[in-house]
Amino acid sequence: MASVRKQLRRRFEHAKPGVPPLSIRLDKLTSAAHTALCQLTGRRSRMARSMTLDIIELDEQLRRAGLADSLRDALEQLDGPIIAQARLRQALQEQWSELAASTPMEGVLRIWLDGAPDVLSRLKRLGRTPEGAAQLLSAADAILHHLPAQGQPRSQLAASVMGDAHALDAGRPVASLVLAAWRHSERSRSADAVEDAETELINPATTEERQRDVWARAGVLVNELARPALLLNLPVADPAQAFWIRGEPAYLSLRQLLRTPPTWAVAGKSVFVCENPNVLAIAADDLGTHCAPLVCTDGMPAAAQRTLLYQLQKAGACLHYHGDFDWPGIGIANFVIRTWQATPWRLSASDYEAATRASFHSRHNLEEMSVTATWDSRLAPTMQQHGIAIAEETVVATLLADLCDEQ
């Protein structure tokens, strides 16, 4: 009867609270088990692999025999207490539901707990239990109270707040909560602070790159020397801050931009932004000190490039953007123009048509997919009609004419 008792216990364990089963069907019975059940219930013994028990009738028979108060009581006497799993699940669900509401936290974490749609599923996945999730929330809240930082390395932040230099490494639970809460707060303030789905589809960034960008926006350094920002002739208020040589390309790392950002003297001035480093190099060769301020995103801008563009925008610069005439280039342009309120720079449908007539160098066939240019509804259809992708270097002569600053 051991296998029969297990089946019966499972039915009682999974019954809804306060709703005991009235009948139980037992399947895959051995002949010995079936015979024993027939003896227990008084039924005629015959060969069968299943049987349905009337629980109310069986309870009454057990009471009359003086063996137990009920079938459930008999099972508990034989094999120990039956734990109502449904009641446990309900209680556990109530604990999870109360966790976010009852957590005494304010600021960025509170906004995330109250507004993000995936909070509960993320907490369950990372915390495993309500108690574990509560501990993670407490640690995440402590980290968020130190943000935004001023160019502090992530490992140093983790060590000083949590006592573990690796507690905020990629994939660690507290890091996941901090990043989720910070991104949600950015969305709450402005939709322009995060990548749009279209840009991510066409210019997919690795998880590491996306996380580094979020940390950078929070003032935290992760791999702060990777992909520095390339610039030419950017003016600063204090000449001592310009360690670069005017007329020569220079790099600024994320570390420099966050720790010792220059005071940019760009209020009301035009700052041009290109996508490809070759364009900036050609501008330095041909124009040198007479080139207008120029910044390169080097494809989809990473943490250093984004930080620099945010600083220039905040300093009052009028940004003008140009990139490749291909679908990834249009996706990048959509992102830059929207995020930093940049003005399209020779990126209209007529500019594209002029480029198709001017040269056959640095051009190749477009892919079948398309991306709508937010600044010119005619551009994507025109590109589809010609079916030609044009690299930014192809039109560099036209760009140089705009960049030439004789002052």
Side-chain angles (χ1 to χ4, degrees):
M1 294 289 286
S3 63
V4 172
R5 298 201 307 273
K6 287 181 181 180
Q7 288 191 60
L8 292 171
R9 287 180 67 88
R10 280 197 297 270
R11 289 300 302 274
F12 281 107
E13 286 172 350
H14 295 285
K16 294 182 179 179
V19 186
L22 301 180
S23 64
I24 296 177
R25 179 178 175 81
L26 301 173
D27 296 309
K28 298 180 181 180
L29 295 172
T30 64
S31 58
H34 189 273
T35 299
L37 284 172
C38 288
Q39 293 174 345
L40 179 65
T41 59
R43 299 184 188 182
R44 180 180 298 177
S45 179
R46 57 184 178 82
M47 292 299 296
R49 294 280 291 168
S50 63
M51 177 183 291
T52 299
L53 298 181
D54 185 323
I55 303 303
I56 296 177
E57 179 183 335
L58 191 51
D59 286 348
E60 180 61 29
Q61 291 173 338
L62 290 169
R63 283 194 294 270
R64 284 203 306 267
L67 296 174
D69 292 336
S70 64
L71 176 59
R72 177 175 182 136
D73 178 44
L75 293 170
E76 290 185 324
Q77 289 188 48
L78 290 168
D79 299 308
I82 294 175
I83 307 299
Q85 297 298 322
R87 184 176 288 108
L88 288 179
R89 287 195 300 273
Q90 181 179 345
L92 183 61
Q93 185 59 38
E94 290 174 354
Q95 291 181 46
W96 280 115
S97 299
E98 293 173 0
L99 177 63
S102 62
T103 300
M105 294 173 183
E106 300 176 353
V108 172
L109 191 63
R110 181 77 269 159
I111 294 172
W112 178 66
L113 290 172
D114 291 341
D118 62 341
V119 167
L120 196 56
S121 60
R122 188 184 294 268
L123 289 177
K124 286 181 177 180
R125 176 169 55 84
L126 296 174
R128 305 290 184 179
T129 66
E131 294 78 11
Q135 293 177 0
L136 294 180
L137 286 173
S138 178
D141 188 52
I143 294 294
L144 287 165
H145 274 85
H146 287 76
L147 302 182
Q150 300 297 321
Q152 185 178 25
R154 182 178 62 181
S155 57
Q156 183 183 20
L157 175 64
S160 62
V161 178
M162 301 178 62
D164 178 0
H166 297 286
L168 296 177
D169 287 358
R172 297 292 288 268
V174 175
S176 297
L177 293 182
V178 170
L179 292 174
W182 191 262
R183 284 175 61 87
H184 181 75
S185 71
E186 289 180 324
R187 292 190 188 98
S188 302
R189 296 192 299 269
S190 171
D192 293 339
V194 293
E195 305 91 339
D196 62 9
E198 181 184 84
T199 303
E200 275 297 297
L201 176 65
I202 297 183
N203 303 279
T206 65
T207 299
E208 181 182 0
E209 289 173 335
R210 288 195 297 269
Q211 291 183 355
R212 184 169 63 243
D213 290 342
V214 179
W215 281 119
R217 295 198 297 269
V220 177
L221 296 172
V222 180
N223 197 9
E224 65 264 34
L225 301 181
R227 286 192 66 187
L230 178 61
L231 55 94
L232 177 66
N233 294 345
L234 276 184
V236 293
D238 181 1
Q241 293 180 315
F243 62 85
W244 51 86
I245 301 174
R246 182 167 175 79
E248 288 295 326
Y251 284 102
L252 279 175
S253 68
L254 178 63
R255 177 188 179 93
Q256 292 169 303
L257 288 166
L258 288 180
R259 286 193 169 187
T260 55
T263 303
W264 302 111
V266 294
K269 296 182 179 180
S270 291
V271 175
F272 293 87
V273 184
C274 63
E275 179 185 343
N276 298 283
N278 287 336
V279 172
L280 190 142
I282 294 171
D285 290 341
D286 288 15
L287 301 177
T289 59
H290 296 292
C291 183
L294 181 61
V295 174
C296 179
T297 65
D298 193 8
M300 172 58 72
Q305 290 81 15
R306 296 186 190 202
T307 300
L308 176 57
L309 291 175
Y310 276 122
Q311 290 180 1
L312 294 173
Q313 181 191 33
K314 186 176 181 180
C318 302
L319 301 177
H320 305 268
Y321 180 78
H322 187 278
D324 291 332
F325 281 115
D326 57 17
W327 302 132
I330 300 304
I332 295 172
N334 280 338
F335 176 64
V336 173
I337 290 169
R338 186 195 68 247
T339 305
W340 293 285
Q341 288 77 56
T343 300
W345 171 29
R346 295 197 180 276
L347 278 178
S348 68
S350 58
D351 291 319
Y352 171 78
E353 288 183 319
T356 62
R357 296 189 297 267
S359 173
F360 285 92
H361 297 291
S362 300
R363 52 193 280 173
H364 54 275
N365 292 334
L366 277 170
E367 299 178 0
E368 292 184 2
M369 65 181 297
S370 67
V371 178
T372 300
T374 57
W375 64 92
D376 187 344
S377 61
R378 291 180 52 246
L379 180 55
T382 303
M383 291 172 63
Q384 287 178 309
Q385 179 182 352
H386 288 276
I388 298 172
I390 299 176
E392 192 175 24
E393 293 87 342
T394 300
V395 298
V396 70
T398 303
L399 301 180
L400 290 177
D402 296 333
L403 291 170
C404 184
D405 183 2
E406 298 297 342
Q407 297 181 355

